[in-house]
Amino acid sequence: MARDKSASPAAPKTKKVRWYHQLWEAFKMTRETDPAITWILLATFVGTLAVGVIAGVLLSSVVYFILLALPFALLATMFVLARRAEAAAYSRIEGQPGAALAALRTIRRGWTFVEEPVAIDPRSQDMVFRGVGRPGVVLVAEGTGNPARLLEAERKRTARVLPSVPVIVLQTGRHEGQVPLPKLPGKLRRLKPQLTKQEVAEVTKRLQALGGARLPVPKGVDPMRVRPDRKGMRGR
């Protein structure tokens, strides 16, 4: 019996997002909160290129140094765009419920975070998020009520289950003693390892029994999206 080809249409191909499309989207997003970004990028490109021109004039090889400075000017411009886009992305979510978890998700490796808050105050919407890595267990609180009280209660609860495991407590915010949201991922990356990989796995299993509160959180900040895709640059 002949197979009816019309009965099983081919699935539509997913359109690839080229690196220049990513740059344009990052630029538009950044411009919404940073109107001066156009002039900043232009000044970066022209300034870097001007250095090459000056060097070429001094060394009597203008064309060579312009060609040499051009890729550096492009790289410098993309670097500035990436940094400004990252700052803009954080400013868009700062103050929203779940912003701390969105920032923590930008840590690519070394840490595992529970997808929901492990503690929450229904009135003030203060929340505590938990992560596990080789430095130990990290508890990150956010909110404008009294997150320190909620954080301390969760620390004691965690310490009862894991008395010999380091528990690091952090609170996001702009006040003294708090960690600003953009600096939170870097803070965790600088913590020194205290556990082996096997111990981390065991700690993760034991913490699963503690559970957590369920609440939707915003999408994670991904500043890497503003950087060019290398496969796209090769035309794949």
Side-chain angles (χ1 to χ4, degrees), residues 82-162:
R83 296 299 298 268
R84 306 290 289 208
E86 180 181 3
Y90 279 117
S91 67
R92 287 165 69 102
I93 68 167
E94 195 164 9
Q96 295 185 33
L101 180 59
L104 293 170
R105 283 173 177 162
T106 65
I107 302 176
R108 299 296 176 182
R109 58 183 179 180
W111 288 93
T112 302
F113 298 97
V114 180
E115 291 300 311
E116 296 86 21
V118 294
I120 181 172
D121 186 331
R123 286 182 138 187
S124 63
Q125 296 296 299
D126 294 343
M127 287 181 259
V128 176
F129 297 96
R130 184 179 67 219
V132 181
R134 291 194 60 191
V137 178
V138 64
L139 299 173
V140 181
E142 68 172 27
T144 57
N146 188 12
R149 177 189 58 80
L150 197 66
L151 184 62
E152 178 61 17
E154 187 61 29
R155 185 196 66 78
K156 290 179 178 179
R157 190 167 78 114
T158 305
R160 284 196 297 269
V161 178
L162 302 165

